[in-house]
Amino acid sequence: GETDESGCGFRNVVHGGLVETVLEEVMAWGVKMRVGDWAFTADGKISEKSPVEPVTLCRATATVTENAGRKILAEASFCDDKGKELAKAKAVFLPSKGKAMPRTLHDQSA
């Protein structure tokens, strides 16, 4: 069959913005699990090492590298099913102090 390229920026290459979104989301959940509260992304950087093809099975993982209370640092990695790193990211998060809740969770409580 034909490959769905609706998420591609170039032919057979997943748009980097989508990869970045996945990495930021994984870091945000990592922060939530480690700190116990949601946090806002204040700054971030992504490094794309290799094109991601739309048929590639990938895994994104994140680690909180520093929790200084007012500033939380996290890193994430986007790897293919063989463990090859395709992209990585670093970000600074600021605790929301209970002021942020993902929309899907908020919608369920209404």
Side-chain angles (χ1 to χ4, degrees):
E2 232 177 88
T3 301
D4 179 4
E5 291 191 344
S6 58
C8 292
F10 293 104
R11 185 154 188 70
N12 206 34
V13 177
V14 175
H15 195 291
L18 295 176
V19 174
E20 183 174 1
T21 298
V22 169
L23 290 173
E24 185 174 348
E25 186 73 9
V26 169
M27 288 186 288
W29 278 95
V31 168
K32 165 68 169 133
M33 292 177 73
R34 175 82 181 270
V35 177
D37 191 12
W38 297 105
F40 299 108
T41 309
D43 191 22
K45 179 181 180 185
I46 184 170
S47 300
E48 295 185 46
K49 298 177 165 193
S50 184
V52 178
E53 295 180 16
V55 295
T56 305
L57 181 62
C58 296
R59 175 179 296 210
T61 57
T63 304
V64 173
T65 58
E66 183 179 331
N67 179 3
R70 289 181 36 125
K71 183 167 78 169
I72 304 160
L73 306 179
E75 295 180 359
S77 182
F78 197 80
C79 298
D80 68 14
D81 60 345
K82 294 174 180 60
K84 178 183 175 187
E85 188 173 63
L86 305 174
K88 63 181 181 177
K90 292 183 178 185
V92 176
F93 290 85
L94 303 176
S96 74
K97 299 178 183 174
K99 296 177 185 168
M101 183 184 301
R103 191 184 72 207
T104 55
L105 296 177
H106 176 69
D107 292 347
Q108 291 174 2
S109 65

